[in-house]
Amino acid sequence: MATLRVPALMKMYIGNQSEVTLQGTTVAETLNDLIFRYPAIKFHLYDDHGELRRHINLFVNEVNIKDLNGIQTPICDFDRLILLPSISGG
Amino acid sequence: MNPELSHEEIQRYSRHILIPDVGLEGQRKLKAASILVIGSGGLGSPVSLYLAAAGIGHLGLVDYDRVDETNLQRQIVHGSSNIGDFKVDSARSRLTDLNPNIQIDTYNTPFTSENALGIAKNYDILIDGTDNFPTRYLSNDVAVMLGIPNVYGSIFRFDGQASVFYAKKGPCYRCLFPEPPPPGMVPSCGVGGVLGVLPGIIGTIQATEALKLVLGIGDPLIGRLLLFNALDMSFDFVTLKKNPKCRVCGPNADIKELIDYDEFCGVPGHQHEDEPNLANGQITAVELEKALAGKNPPLLLDVREPHELEISALTGAVNIPLGGLAGRLAELDPGREMVVFCKTGIRSQRALDLLAAAGFKRVKNLKGGINSWAEDVDPRLPVY
């Protein structure tokens, strides 16, 4: 079981939580578990082509999955994932 | 050669000079430095106050906006007596009072592709204190093209981000975010709200990073991004790497000059919250009142966030926040006449554009939003 940290921007789609525990052996499986449990977040993660939206970054233990193996990056128990969208407020 | 300090300056900055890592030479570096603060709002307020107090010799301030009452909950460089004044004038007055020894240049204009390089070329460091995506991409690209650091901060509700994007030594903003979000998906603070102290925390971190860069001490946030959450009081760090495919700082960069950032982001960078982009399909509050009393009243679609309904609401309106609208179109009847509204008419205009693109042809936008309804039709509702 890994934990996923969700930003203020998106927590309304997962029951107003900022952290959720998920199952899966890869990032893709973990996100599938997230979407299965909270379908409303899917639109905010994936574009019409099923790709992770370009303004969204996902980090596994502080490393961007773009610098690992993308959504096929393996996930182990106790891994910490962070969802990072761009925000513009100033 | 860095400039000498007067006796008065040595006294003023004595608490800096006492730090061995700073000393007299460090304070001279601060006096010799030029920093451009883009935006005199939530982030720009603490940044400019602390940089002025620290003795940065040359500060530039860019903003085109005027101070209004809703700014004062967080934009602490301005005061109640400044309401209606240009922000750069209000800020300069406060900063000059704080430290009369420094030079402050103000640019009372939008920061645009046309003027950005000309303004920024006079500075060593940029501070991104803007509040919109077009100006963030513009600030990044300017910093990359001039080869200077861009000290980044961004806030939303209880969340803050900070980093130092410096393409000579690490990634730039585009390496992390190659593209902006689809228009309307990520609300601004003017729409989504922000805790007043949050820009104080993130802006102070930006000021700290700028001072470290000038002094050449410590470990700057180059290649690292700080994620702050005020509710959990958590500070997380993630590692950032240069993107080899980055269009502005990568080895095969194809963006060599500034572009049209409003077009790139699909939204205007310089638009007042209270000045919606008027387009076809507008309906005024008075016209809507008549339509609702008619035989076939339109469906009211409220695209504000659920908690805004506690401030004011229209009876019978369906609430689908703008951020989730694209995923919930199936809940709406394309054949029915519809009036979409939000607080002031900006989000609802984006909703109208989205609905029109999805084939909804009988949609109108309530001009001025529910605030206009409160002013012109039902004064029992508050304006917010």
Side-chain angles (χ1 to χ4, degrees):
Chain A
M1 301 277 271
T3 58
L4 173 71
R5 185 159 186 83
V6 178
L9 186 68
M10 293 183 176
K11 68 178 192 177
M12 71 187 84
Y13 305 115
I14 63 158
N16 217 30
Q17 308 169 85
S18 56
E19 203 157 285
V20 60
T21 305
L22 298 169
Q23 291 186 328
T25 59
T26 63
V27 168
E29 287 180 13
T30 307
L31 291 181
N32 283 345
D33 187 34
L34 176 74
I35 290 165
F36 176 74
R37 290 160 60 184
Y38 306 101
I41 201 169
K42 182 178 181 182
F43 171 76
H44 298 270
L45 292 180
Y46 291 106
D47 63 19
D48 295 342
H49 308 291
E51 301 284 334
L52 208 56
R53 291 188 181 277
R54 300 261 284 167
H55 72 286
I56 301 276
N57 285 277
L58 192 61
F59 293 82
V60 176
N61 301 329
E62 303 181 8
V63 181
N64 198 325
I65 62 167
K66 291 174 185 169
D67 301 320
L68 297 168
N69 202 17
I71 60 167
Q72 297 310 321
T73 300
I75 297 296
C76 303
D77 280 355
F78 309 113
D79 275 353
R80 188 155 190 267
L81 283 70
I82 295 178
L83 200 54
L84 175 76
S86 52
I87 51 176
S88 67
Chain B
M1 274 297 277
N2 292 319
E4 293 298 322
L5 300 174
S6 68
H7 285 188
E8 190 251 315
E9 286 173 311
I10 290 172
Q11 186 171 15
R12 173 181 283 263
Y13 304 123
S14 69
R15 299 301 186 274
H16 269 170
I17 295 167
L18 285 167
I19 306 173
D21 308 76
V22 181
L24 263 179
E25 186 51 33
Q27 193 62 49
R28 287 195 197 106
K29 286 182 185 171
L30 297 178
K31 185 174 179 177
S34 294
I35 298 181
L36 181 65
V37 184
I38 304 166
S40 287
L43 294 170
S45 287
V47 168
S48 57
L49 282 165
Y50 272 108
L51 294 183
I56 294 295
H58 179 202
L59 275 183
L61 309 175
V62 194
D63 206 307
Y64 69 99
D65 213 349
R66 293 178 186 268
V67 179
D68 77 40
E69 199 153 17
T70 67
N71 300 150
L72 301 178
Q73 158 257 25
R74 65 199 179 285
Q75 300 184 15
I76 57 169
V77 78
H78 311 297
S80 297
S81 63
N82 302 119
I83 290 173
D85 295 346
F86 284 114
K87 285 187 176 178
V88 290
D89 294 339
S90 161
R92 175 162 54 188
S93 168
R94 172 76 182 97
L95 300 176
T96 302
D97 181 51
L98 180 62
N99 191 345
N101 302 305
I102 62 171
Q103 178 187 338
I104 300 169
D105 288 337
T106 56
Y107 306 91
N108 188 8
T109 172
F111 196 59
T112 67
S113 299
E114 286 71 39
N115 64 16
L117 285 168
I119 294 172
K121 70 180 182 188
N122 301 312
Y123 297 88
D124 312 318
I125 293 172
L126 299 189
I127 308 272
D128 180 355
T130 62
D131 63 358
N132 62 84
F133 287 111
T135 317
R136 288 195 180 279
Y137 280 94
L138 170 63
S139 302
N140 177 73
D141 293 358
V142 166
V144 173
M145 288 174 193
L146 293 175
I148 59 178
N150 174 32
V151 183
Y152 163 82
S154 196
I155 51 176
F156 181 74
R157 292 187 178 155
F158 299 99
D159 280 357
Q161 304 175 359
S163 188
V164 175
F165 293 116
Y166 191 10
K168 277 185 176 176
K169 298 186 175 179
C172 79
Y173 180 69
R174 277 182 189 265
C175 292
L176 180 63
F177 298 117
E179 288 177 13
M185 184 170 275
V186 176
S188 68
C189 292
V191 170
V194 63
L195 187 70
V197 298
L198 187 68
I201 295 166
I202 298 299
T204 309
I205 289 169
Q206 288 178 279
T208 308
E209 290 302 296
L211 294 176
K212 284 162 56 185
L213 289 169
V214 172
L215 293 167
I217 59 174
D219 187 12
L221 281 173
I222 297 171
R224 290 187 296 154
L225 182 96
L226 167 67
L227 292 162
F228 173 70
N229 181 275
L231 289 181
D232 304 337
M233 200 47 77
S234 61
F235 291 78
D236 284 299
F237 289 91
V238 293
T239 306
L240 307 181
K241 289 187 178 170
K242 264 182 117 64
N243 177 0
K245 293 180 182 168
C246 180
R247 294 188 61 193
V248 72
C249 82
N252 300 311
D254 63 332
I255 297 176
K256 304 287 188 189
E257 54 189 39
L258 301 178
I259 61 173
D260 182 337
Y261 294 88
D262 290 1
E263 186 185 13
F264 176 60
C265 296
V267 291
H270 306 289
Q271 183 177 8
H272 293 274
E273 183 66 19
D274 297 330
E275 293 175 4
N277 183 22
L278 293 179
N280 291 331
Q282 303 281 324
I283 186 170
T284 67
V286 173
E287 289 167 348
L288 176 60
E289 184 186 28
K290 285 181 191 165
L292 288 172
K295 282 186 179 174
N296 296 305
L299 174 76
L300 292 172
L301 175 61
D302 184 345
V303 294
R304 296 175 301 157
E305 298 298 317
H307 63 275
E308 293 181 80
L309 275 58
E310 294 173 14
I311 306 170
S312 58
L314 297 185
T315 307
V318 174
N319 177 226
I320 303 180
L322 176 61
L325 181 59
R328 295 178 59 185
L329 293 177
E331 297 174 30
L332 300 168
D333 175 5
R336 180 157 178 200
E337 197 167 301
M338 204 183 319
V339 172
V340 59
F341 69 93
C342 61
K343 183 177 81 164
T344 61
I346 289 184
R347 277 175 283 176
S348 50
Q349 182 62 45
R350 290 185 187 145
L352 186 146
D353 294 343
L354 194 155
L355 289 164
F360 288 76
K361 293 190 168 62
R362 306 181 67 195
V363 190
K364 286 184 178 170
N365 179 22
L366 175 59
K367 183 180 174 183
I370 196 169
N371 276 352
S372 154
W373 180 275
E375 286 170 342
D376 298 339
V377 176
D378 187 356
R380 290 171 302 174
L381 295 183
V383 173
Y384 69 105

